[in-house]
Amino acid sequence: MQFEGAYGIINDMEQMKLRPTSSMYNIILSGYFREKNFHGARNVLKQMEVAGVKPDALTFSYLISNAHCEKDVIKFYDAMCNSGVQPTKHVFMGLINAYAACGQFEKAKQIVSDSRIPVQNLNEIKNVLVGALASNGQLSGALKMYEEIKEADCNLNPKAIKSLIEHFQCKGELNKSLQLLKELNDSPYWIDACFKVISYCIQQENLRSTVDLLKQLKDKFSDAELAAEVLFDEVFCLLAEKEPSDMQFCLNLLKSVKEEVGVLPSRKSLDFLLSACANAKDSKASFVIWKEYETAGLPYNVLSFVRMYQALLASGDRKSANKILNKIPKDDPHVRCVIRACKETYTKHASLGTKGKKKHGQLAATLGLLDELKAESGH
């Protein structure tokens, strides 16, 4: 945000004998708070005071929402009341979020009982309470308010539902997350929430739920093949990032994606699976994935050879790794750097402690550099 430019407009108005409004300062104030620039926010308040512009309800809602402790929440709210400014829905929302962030959950819940809340705003404010409680670990309270909103046949805020989904996963309640996801079906939040549930299913190695959600994801992008491919790549990336385990879940998921979902894995997806093989030190699974390149009609390139080499070295199959090494073109210095990093990581007797983790991290960074080079070259 160009704060200096915004201030410049206000200064120009003063020179033209036009009085700036609180709305103009509020725009700058909200920008500073978004960037967590509290010093800049304080300067806005000083500028308002110098210009003789009084804070309005929106100004106070920003101050309350960004208060660091309960004492500050009360201070800003009292200042608002003493100045004669009446609370608006934004102020009530700010109070809920501020109290919840400070751990004052009962006070946050009491806000929705305030008789000054207009009837037309009550449901929206209750939805904010659902999100605030869920975001701060108060799932039982969030769910109770959520059920209350449903029973009253009121609209459920998609953002609040998404927040519930994310935090129910922390508690391991997959069925509840799946149920909530259905209520987001026509919302722009659905894709992000669905991906988060898929991520949880993969961590738990829940094949059935993962496949069912991938089918839904594919249906959402039936007219956008490229977008669907990107999302499926992200799913396979999760397999490469998860804690090393038996590769059987990965292989079962790959089979289901092909046979049930009807999607052939992209080159990037197979690269991620080879990385998963390296993490799991599974040479048998590496050869299965290696054949998938041919099945998908994807010619082997330098990056696929390097990742296969890495996977075989990690599994201890040096004989097969050397065969792959002989097929890797070594004219590129970056490729030679990656090969050297693989050898240093997997062929030396590295400890399993911090030093070993550091070497694996360095190798991941080197492979990432090779990924970027391949992307730039368009190969």
Side-chain angles (χ1 to χ4, degrees):
M1 182 174 180
Q2 299 297 322
F3 300 115
E4 291 183 6
Y7 274 129
I9 293 172
I10 292 176
N11 292 332
D12 290 343
M13 288 184 63
E14 291 174 342
Q15 291 176 9
M16 292 186 289
K17 307 300 181 184
L18 296 174
R19 186 180 179 83
T21 65
S22 57
S23 297
M24 295 175 181
Y25 284 105
N26 286 339
I27 293 172
I28 304 173
L29 186 65
S30 66
Y32 276 125
F33 277 132
R34 274 197 304 274
E35 295 186 357
K36 305 298 181 185
N37 186 338
F38 300 106
H39 177 74
R42 282 194 296 271
N43 284 339
V44 174
L45 296 176
K46 291 178 182 177
Q47 292 282 346
M48 290 178 72
E49 186 177 357
V50 170
V53 178
K54 292 184 177 180
D56 61 10
L58 189 57
T59 310
F60 283 110
S61 75
Y62 289 141
L63 294 173
I64 291 169
S65 297
N66 290 278
H68 295 296
C69 61
E70 183 186 2
K71 182 180 177 181
D72 286 345
V73 175
I74 295 171
K75 180 183 74 175
F76 291 133
Y77 182 72
D78 287 346
M80 183 192 75
C81 294
N82 293 335
S83 65
V85 174
Q86 295 300 310
T88 61
K89 72 174 184 180
H90 295 293
V91 171
F92 291 119
M93 291 174 180
L95 285 168
I96 287 172
N97 285 319
Y99 277 131
C102 293
Q104 296 295 326
F105 303 114
E106 290 306 315
K107 289 188 176 182
K109 294 174 187 177
Q110 289 168 13
I111 298 299
V112 297
S113 301
D114 196 306
S115 59
R116 293 170 297 176
I117 297 176
V119 175
Q120 65 269 25
N121 297 142
L122 184 57
N123 184 62
E124 187 177 359
I125 292 170
K126 284 182 176 180
N127 270 281
V128 169
L129 179 58
V130 172
L133 291 174
S135 298
N136 288 280
Q138 298 295 300
L139 282 175
S140 59
L143 186 58
K144 183 178 179 181
M145 181 54 62
Y146 160 81
E147 295 294 350
E148 183 180 312
I149 294 171
K150 279 191 69 176
E151 288 172 8
D153 291 326
C154 295
N155 293 327
L156 288 157
N157 187 317
K159 191 174 181 180
I161 297 173
K162 177 174 171 286
S163 184
L164 273 174
I165 288 172
E166 292 172 358
H167 292 89
F168 265 115
Q169 289 175 214
C170 297
K171 296 290 185 179
E173 298 192 33
L174 176 59
N175 289 338
K176 193 64 183 178
S177 293
L178 293 171
Q179 178 188 332
L180 289 165
L181 188 61
K182 291 179 181 178
E183 298 190 26
L184 282 179
N185 196 41
D186 298 321
S187 161
Y189 290 97
W190 184 89
I191 293 170
D192 186 42
C194 180
F195 193 81
K196 289 184 183 300
V197 179
I198 289 174
S199 175
Y200 175 78
C201 291
I202 286 176
Q203 288 298 325
Q204 300 299 311
E205 299 195 348
N206 187 322
L207 182 63
R208 187 68 266 151
S209 294
T210 303
V211 174
D212 289 343
L213 289 170
L214 288 176
K215 287 179 181 178
Q216 295 177 45
L217 202 58
K218 182 192 175 188
D219 290 341
K220 287 282 184 181
F221 287 92
S222 57
D223 298 324
E225 186 176 337
L226 180 59
E229 181 177 309
V230 170
L231 285 169
F232 274 75
D233 286 345
E234 288 298 314
V235 169
F236 283 102
C237 179
L238 293 173
L239 296 173
E241 292 176 345
K242 72 190 292 286
E243 287 296 315
S245 61
D246 192 317
M247 277 297 295
Q248 194 56 52
F249 173 77
C250 299
L251 297 177
N252 290 342
L253 181 58
L254 175 61
K255 181 181 179 183
S256 296
V257 165
K258 291 167 57 182
E259 296 179 359
E260 294 187 52
V261 186
V263 171
L264 281 177
S266 70
R267 178 182 295 281
K268 185 174 284 189
S269 291
L270 293 176
D271 287 346
F272 284 135
L273 284 172
L274 276 183
S275 293
C277 290
N279 292 338
K281 298 179 173 57
D282 190 331
S283 62
K284 184 177 179 181
S286 301
F287 286 112
V288 173
I289 302 302
W290 191 243
K291 290 180 181 178
E292 288 293 333
Y293 286 89
E294 291 184 18
T295 303
L298 300 169
Y300 299 119
N301 62 16
V302 173
L303 185 56
S304 51
F305 276 117
V306 168
R307 289 197 183 277
M308 184 60 172
Y309 175 65
Q310 177 200 12
L312 293 172
L313 270 185
S315 68
D317 188 350
R318 296 189 186 183
K319 183 177 179 181
S320 298
N322 286 331
K323 289 181 180 179
I324 292 292
L325 179 61
N326 292 331
K327 298 179 180 180
I328 301 176
K330 301 176 184 64
D331 51 331
D332 189 320
H334 297 291
V335 173
R336 294 197 298 271
C337 178
V338 173
I339 292 172
R340 186 167 59 251
C342 286
K343 287 180 178 179
E344 290 177 354
T345 301
Y346 297 114
T347 61
K348 290 184 179 180
H349 297 289
S351 67
L352 297 177
T354 306
K355 187 177 179 181
K357 290 181 179 179
K358 184 177 179 181
K359 286 193 174 184
H360 278 76
Q362 291 171 340
L363 175 58
T366 309
L367 284 166
L369 173 63
L370 190 57
D371 277 330
E372 292 175 12
L373 290 169
K374 285 295 174 185
E376 290 175 4
S377 65
H379 293 159

